[in-house]
Amino acid sequence: MPLPHPPPRTPGVAGARLFASLPPPPPSPLQSRREVHVWYVCPDELNDRSQLDMYMDLLSPSERNNALSMNGPRLQKDAMLSRALLRTTLSRYSKIDPRSFDFKKNKFGKPEILWRSDDSNMEWPLHFNISHTSSLIACGIAMDVPIGIDVEEKKRKTTKSILSLARRYFTPSEVEFLAKIADSDAQQKEFIKLWTLKEAYVKALGRGFSGAPFNRFSIQLETNSRIQISKAPKACNDSDSGDYLSENWRFALAELNSSYYMAVCIEDNSRGFENGPVPLGLKVWKTIPFIEDTLVSGTDAVKLIT
Amino acid sequence: MAAITTGSAVSFARPAKASSVSSVSFAGLRKDNVAFPLQPATQRFTVLRAAKQETVDQVCNIVKKQLVLAEGTEVTGSSKFTDLGADSLDTVEIVMGLEEAFDISVEESSAQSIATVEDAAELIDKLVAAK
């Protein structure tokens, strides 16, 4: 597939190589509304000055200013890489130059693509969501449905105790579930799994943390690996079961590189109940944009928990 | 709407990144604290700080402890939590730390409108005064 003529490089950028303006597309495009693709970078591995300058070049002036206003060089680099990852990822699925995307925020502050009227080659609008940890930045992409993604280090230490955090922010049934776990490491891991799942849901919903308070919905990882999400029953309600939100939201939870939990959530209004809920299809790539893409799903690097 | 900043780390002129919903609640919060009529939102950064310095200092300490910031990292009233690298789990732990330190209870909707250390300190002063 011929690539468009690369735009002129800024004079004076020492050692800049002429990179093609579009990163390669993935081997397979998004097949359906139930497929999610995740692309991630590891900032600690990206230290080549000319590469970083080239990524910085992809950003809009306000993104550049924003990155530079972060506190310290590491956070500045992460903020820059986050935008470069987003732009290059979107470019793969739309054949639009990474520099060309404009973004806006919905009324709750969730970032979205601002499509132009001449972006007619897009049959279905792309949705994205980004998650950072200090050592990994991930960008999830879905076709035509809202998406949320959250990545967290498995062993992330909290300053507050797990149960005090759960009591403050989770539902009673989730607290009960965690309280039953005797081993503190196992309890911490289950907490992180629940946290990433709940975050992914709230981010997919796009209404901000207070739009779907964590203590108003419960997530349960069932023995058959299904993820169940339900509204927590109100205090005055005797019944055990809340309203089920599971019909409309699909989740995937995976262990990434044995070091992270990654949760993805998409909206699914497709009423596809033929054989029970269809699992969300997940593909994951590790990327050094323009340099190297490695498909990691289907290997030990990505172990599906659900 | 993209925030155009001057690029300098500490500046009252930088607009808060709060969404439109939360800037309404932020302005509403201030009306209770001040006796004189407020300037319209576009000019609000000329209003004097309402939070006590003591509160701001305490918030800075709690934030520094939670985020395990590098030696010599400056945290002041205008420091933004996101610029300090706080993610969602950090933020809820900071809120819990503030609740414990000041014996207050912060609602999710108020917590969401906090962008800077200053915002947190103002909310704390208000909640403490209301006890």
Side-chain angles (χ1 to χ4, degrees):
Chain A
M1 178 176 56
L3 294 163
H5 187 75
R9 308 305 301 168
T10 317
V13 178
R17 288 171 275 176
L18 262 182
F19 285 93
S21 60
L22 295 187
S28 55
L30 285 160
Q31 306 281 15
S32 73
R33 286 196 192 82
R34 283 207 199 94
E35 203 171 83
V36 170
H37 288 185
V38 176
W39 297 76
Y40 72 86
V41 293
C42 297
D44 296 334
E45 295 171 14
L46 301 178
N47 296 305
D48 180 302
R49 188 74 255 156
S50 62
Q51 255 175 47
L52 294 175
D53 285 345
M54 191 206 41
Y55 296 147
M56 180 67 107
D57 233 33
L58 301 174
L59 272 52
S60 68
S62 68
E63 285 172 339
R64 226 169 280 151
N65 281 337
N66 204 50
L68 293 172
S69 72
M70 299 292 285
N71 199 311
R74 229 199 77 221
L75 290 177
Q76 288 171 14
K77 176 177 146 189
D78 287 359
M80 183 277 288
L81 284 174
S82 168
R83 302 310 295 177
L85 172 66
L86 173 60
R87 287 174 171 275
T88 52
T89 303
L90 292 175
S91 179
R92 296 174 198 271
Y93 293 85
S94 62
K95 303 194 194 107
I96 294 171
D97 189 298
R99 267 161 288 230
S100 298
F101 292 99
D102 289 324
F103 300 95
K104 60 180 172 120
K105 289 194 174 158
N106 76 3
K107 63 177 173 175
F108 302 100
K110 181 176 183 182
E112 292 172 349
I113 300 167
L114 183 63
W115 294 104
R116 309 210 192 125
S117 52
D118 55 352
D119 289 330
S120 52
N121 59 345
M122 287 306 307
E123 198 186 329
W124 300 109
L126 289 173
H127 290 251
F128 69 87
N129 195 232
I130 297 177
S131 177
H132 298 243
T133 70
S134 58
S135 49
L136 188 144
I137 305 171
C139 178
I141 295 280
M143 185 165 81
D144 204 31
V145 289
I147 174 177
I149 179 173
D150 194 53
V151 185
E152 201 48 80
E153 280 160 24
K154 257 169 57 176
K155 298 206 178 125
R156 188 214 170 108
K157 287 293 160 247
T158 55
T159 52
K160 307 291 174 211
S161 78
I162 295 300
L163 286 180
S164 67
L165 279 166
R167 274 186 214 111
R168 172 67 181 78
Y169 289 105
F170 284 6
T171 64
S173 62
E174 288 167 337
V175 174
E176 202 184 306
F177 164 74
L178 288 169
K180 285 192 188 127
I181 305 171
D183 178 67
S184 61
D185 275 344
Q187 190 190 66
Q188 193 254 354
K189 288 203 179 111
E190 293 306 311
F191 172 83
I192 299 289
K193 284 182 197 169
L194 276 175
W195 182 273
T196 54
L197 285 164
K198 290 168 87 88
E199 265 291 290
Y201 169 66
V202 170
K203 290 173 82 178
L205 207 55
R207 283 194 227 144
F209 196 65
S210 68
F214 273 21
N215 61 5
R216 300 239 191 103
F217 66 93
S218 289
I219 292 196
Q220 228 180 313
L221 267 156
E222 307 202 307
T223 46
N224 61 357
S225 294
R226 236 169 39 93
I227 295 178
Q228 184 111 288
I229 178 174
S230 51
K231 277 193 198 148
K234 297 199 163 82
C236 56
N237 188 350
D238 297 343
S239 80
D240 269 349
S241 62
D243 298 339
Y244 287 101
L245 305 170
S246 290
E247 288 101 53
N248 297 330
W249 299 93
R250 299 238 169 281
F251 291 86
L253 179 68
E255 195 181 303
L256 183 59
N257 297 334
S258 304
S259 308
Y260 306 92
Y261 289 128
M262 175 174 72
V264 178
C265 176
I266 52 169
E267 191 171 9
D268 181 5
N269 287 315
S270 66
R271 307 266 153 269
F273 268 66
E274 311 86 7
N275 295 311
V278 178
L280 182 167
L282 180 68
K283 287 206 171 88
V284 185
W285 284 263
K286 174 174 176 177
T287 178
I288 303 171
F290 300 112
I291 310 290
E292 186 177 62
D293 300 327
T294 313
L295 179 68
V296 294
S297 47
T299 73
D300 271 347
V302 179
K303 290 191 201 131
L304 279 176
I305 297 172
T306 63
Chain B
M1 174 176 74
I4 310 291
T5 67
T6 58
S8 65
V10 176
S11 162
F12 280 110
R14 189 195 305 150
K17 267 209 239 151
S19 67
S20 58
V21 172
S22 49
S23 37
V24 167
S25 65
F26 182 76
L29 205 70
R30 286 196 147 176
K31 283 200 175 79
D32 300 324
N33 279 344
V34 293
F36 48 88
L38 270 191
Q39 304 297 322
T42 49
Q43 289 177 39
R44 68 174 188 251
F45 299 100
T46 61
V47 175
L48 291 174
R49 282 203 290 203
K52 295 188 214 154
Q53 187 57 46
E54 198 187 309
T55 313
V56 171
D57 291 343
Q58 275 186 280
V59 175
C60 286
N61 284 335
I62 289 170
V63 168
K64 277 185 198 168
K65 267 199 294 202
Q66 174 64 36
L67 299 182
V68 192
L69 297 172
E71 197 61 48
T73 304
E74 207 192 315
V75 181
T76 65
S78 54
S79 299
K80 291 167 78 171
F81 291 108
T82 48
D83 287 356
L84 293 170
D87 66 11
S88 56
L89 193 43
D90 288 316
T91 306
V92 302
E93 292 201 276
I94 288 170
V95 169
M96 261 180 86
L98 298 175
E99 289 180 325
E100 283 161 16
F102 293 94
D103 190 28
I104 51 176
S105 175
V106 179
E107 281 169 30
E108 253 73 277
S109 50
S110 315
Q112 198 169 281
S113 65
I114 294 173
T116 65
V117 166
E118 174 76 33
D119 294 341
E122 285 191 34
L123 177 60
I124 289 164
D125 283 348
K126 177 184 168 172
L127 291 172
V128 166
K131 283 207 299 179

